[in-house]
């Protein structure tokens, strides 16, 4: 088990955490290391559910902030161990997880150890299985077993945001649009009906679709509707009787899941549409008093989050939430994942300044 010395710098912790492989489903080694260090801290009440670890202060403060980060990564692809690189004179840490989102977790662990008497009570959450299906997500499991742990006045998710504050998030929907035909020998194609050919209007509608830019509480969210997979065919000499086009709809948090599904069905009217996954987005919630204090403390200009993140879980519970972490989200899951050391330090300083002072 790797040793996590929480007196090290956030950058040094980032290297250790990233060099501890924890692909989704293989988080136990890292979770064990985190649990060993955090459970030794007298000022925190610690709870573990599988490979999700929750640590809470109980100081009787008037307000509570939840700060969360996932400990898993997408699969490694020759990008561990980490290495130090320099780009345009600036030091970076390169490797899987540096952006998404172990640098953010490193900052959180260091602050959890050092902020013995913060200005608000804090619930720290480090959870597993974020990069896979939602039903496996550690927060999904925790919400079933200990929903009380989500209670708070404001939440911060350490997703990469270039050290800026990204409010709320877009919703995410996946659907299968199907076309049907009749099988026949390809030498006598007129006997059958080609389901792949029938999918051409589906692709036409996608190509002609004009996505919206939607203002929600002062932030402009960009939507998108795209084909992400297409499948069909039986054999090289058979006219196919089925074609499936998987589409992904990213929708602004002004729409709920029901409205998003209705929109997709309207776009593909006349076709069989099967919605296979949908997750509502999260409104920014930046008008909450704690959110305003946080923005002022870190000196950030809020931006929208285009991707779906677990801030939506907190928003659904009535807890306003933002994304705030080091790393360029464009490099999340990229084989050249890398995070500027200066960004790690800046996020740590921002959180420390807000949480440690009144």
């Amino acid at each position: 088990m790797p040793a996590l010395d929480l007196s090290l710098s956030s950058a040094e912790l980032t290297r250790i955490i990233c060099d501890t492989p924890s692909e989704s489903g293989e988080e136990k080694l890292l979770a064990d290391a985190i649990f060993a260090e955090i459970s030794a801290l007298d000022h925190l009440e610690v709870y573990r559910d599988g490979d999700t670890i929750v640590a809470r202060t109980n100081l009787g403060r008037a307000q509570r902030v939840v700060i969360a980060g996932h400990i898993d990564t997408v699969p490694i692809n020759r990008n561990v161990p980490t290495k130090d690189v320099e780009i345009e004179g600036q030091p970076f840490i390169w490797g899987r997880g540096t952006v998404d989102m172990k640098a953010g977790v490193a900052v959180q662990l260091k602050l959890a150890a050092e902020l013995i008497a913060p200005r608000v009570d804090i619930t720290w959450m480090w959870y597993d299985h974020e990069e896979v299906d939602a039903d496996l997500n550690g927060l999904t499991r925790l919400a079933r077993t200990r929903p009380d742990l989500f209670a708070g006045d404001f939440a911060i998710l350490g997703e990469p945001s270039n050290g800026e504050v990204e409010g709320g998030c877009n919703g995410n929907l996946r659907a299968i649009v199907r076309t049907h035909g009749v099988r026949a020998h390809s030498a006598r194609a007129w006997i059958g009906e080609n389901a792949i050919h029938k999918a051409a209007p589906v692709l036409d509608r996608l190509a002609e679709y004009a996505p919206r830019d939607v203002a929600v509480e002062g932030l402009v969210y960009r939507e998108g509707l795209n084909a992400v997979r297409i499948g069909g065919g039986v054999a090289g000499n058979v006219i196919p009787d089925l074609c499936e086009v998987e589409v992904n709809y990213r929708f602004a948090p002004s729409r709920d899941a029901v409205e998003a599904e209705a929109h997709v069905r309207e776009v593909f009217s006349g076709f069989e549409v099967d919605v296979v996954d949908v997750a509502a987005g999260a409104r920014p919630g930046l008008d909450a008093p704690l959110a305003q204090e946080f923005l002022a403390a870190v000196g950030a200009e809020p931006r929208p989050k285009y991707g779906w993140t677990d801030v939506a879980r907190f928003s659904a519970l009535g807890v306003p939430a933002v994304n705030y972490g080091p790393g360029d989200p464009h490099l999340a899951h990229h084989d050249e994942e890398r995070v500027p050391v200066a960004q790690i330090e800046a996020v740590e300083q921002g959180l420390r300044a807000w949480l440690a002072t009144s």
Side-chain angles (χ1 to χ4, degrees):
M1 183 172 69
L4 293 180
D5 181 353
L6 301 185
S7 69
L8 296 173
S9 71
S10 293
E12 291 171 313
L13 283 171
T14 298
R15 295 183 184 94
I16 295 170
I17 295 170
C18 289
D19 287 340
T20 305
S22 58
E23 296 178 12
S24 300
E26 303 294 333
E27 297 97 332
K28 186 177 186 302
L29 184 64
L30 180 55
D32 287 347
I34 292 172
F35 182 73
E37 294 300 314
I38 292 297
S39 60
L41 300 173
D42 292 338
H43 65 283
L44 294 173
E45 173 190 284
V46 181
Y47 174 79
R48 181 167 182 173
D49 183 326
D51 291 329
T52 289
I53 297 151
V54 180
R56 292 160 37 104
T57 64
N58 287 294
L59 300 169
R61 303 293 196 236
Q63 295 172 305
R64 178 173 292 276
V65 173
V66 184
I67 302 178
H70 65 82
I71 63 173
D72 62 322
T73 70
V74 296
I76 292 168
N77 187 25
R78 300 185 302 277
N79 45 10
V80 291
T82 55
K83 61 184 179 183
D84 295 327
V85 298
E86 187 173 293
I87 300 175
E88 297 180 352
Q90 299 298 314
F92 283 70
I93 303 172
W94 174 96
R96 173 64 78 226
T98 52
V99 170
D100 194 10
M101 55 166 287
K102 290 183 174 180
V105 168
V107 168
Q108 294 170 2
L109 289 169
K110 184 170 181 61
L111 293 178
E114 295 181 359
L115 295 178
I116 296 174
R119 61 184 292 260
V120 293
D121 271 314
I122 305 173
T123 299
W124 304 95
M125 291 181 169
W126 300 288
Y127 60 101
D128 58 290
H129 284 89
E130 190 272 347
E131 299 289 6
V132 289
D133 291 347
D135 60 342
L136 298 174
N137 189 301
L139 294 187
T140 301
R141 186 177 64 250
L142 193 66
R144 289 195 300 263
T145 59
R146 289 293 304 273
D148 57 298
L149 294 177
F150 289 81
D153 301 284
F154 182 54
I156 300 170
L157 192 66
E159 287 284 355
S161 63
N162 265 325
E164 301 292 337
V165 175
E166 294 183 332
C169 68
N170 272 338
N172 183 31
L173 180 150
R174 290 187 302 113
I176 306 297
V177 183
R178 294 188 179 90
T179 55
H180 297 272
V182 177
R183 290 192 193 186
H185 197 295
S186 60
R188 302 172 186 84
W190 61 90
I191 303 298
E193 296 178 12
N194 195 311
I196 293 178
H197 293 181
K198 288 184 176 183
V202 174
L203 301 180
D204 287 342
R205 292 185 195 185
L206 286 165
E208 294 166 1
Y209 184 84
R212 304 185 306 163
D213 287 346
V214 184
V216 182
E217 298 175 13
L219 300 183
V220 178
Y221 293 83
R222 180 175 299 173
E223 295 191 329
L225 181 65
N226 292 280
V228 293
R229 186 181 292 111
I230 187 167
V234 180
N237 60 352
V238 178
I239 298 301
D241 60 344
L242 176 67
C243 183
E244 296 183 330
V245 181
E246 182 176 344
V247 297
N248 179 226
Y249 179 38
R250 301 287 176 154
F251 56 96
S254 56
R255 277 182 169 150
D256 62 22
V258 173
E259 292 168 328
E261 179 174 342
H263 177 68
V264 169
R265 292 188 182 280
E266 180 183 8
V267 171
F268 298 108
S269 175
F271 291 95
E272 178 185 328
V273 177
D274 182 14
V275 174
V276 295
D277 186 38
V278 61
R283 301 182 75 89
L286 295 174
D287 55 347
L290 272 177
Q292 289 295 308
E293 293 173 18
F294 171 66
L295 289 173
V298 302
E301 184 70 25
R303 302 175 180 178
K305 186 71 171 180
Y306 295 133
W308 188 92
T309 74
D310 282 308
V311 297
R313 298 180 184 276
F314 293 98
S315 179
L317 294 170
V319 181
V322 299
N323 304 277
Y324 178 63
D328 183 347
H330 290 95
L331 291 175
H333 304 181
H334 198 287
D335 286 343
E336 295 299 323
E337 216 175 323
R338 58 189 182 271
V339 62
V341 172
Q343 236 175 59
I344 300 173
E345 294 170 347
V347 168
E348 179 190 334
Q349 291 165 5
L351 283 172
R352 186 188 298 276
W354 179 57
L355 293 168
T357 60
S358 58

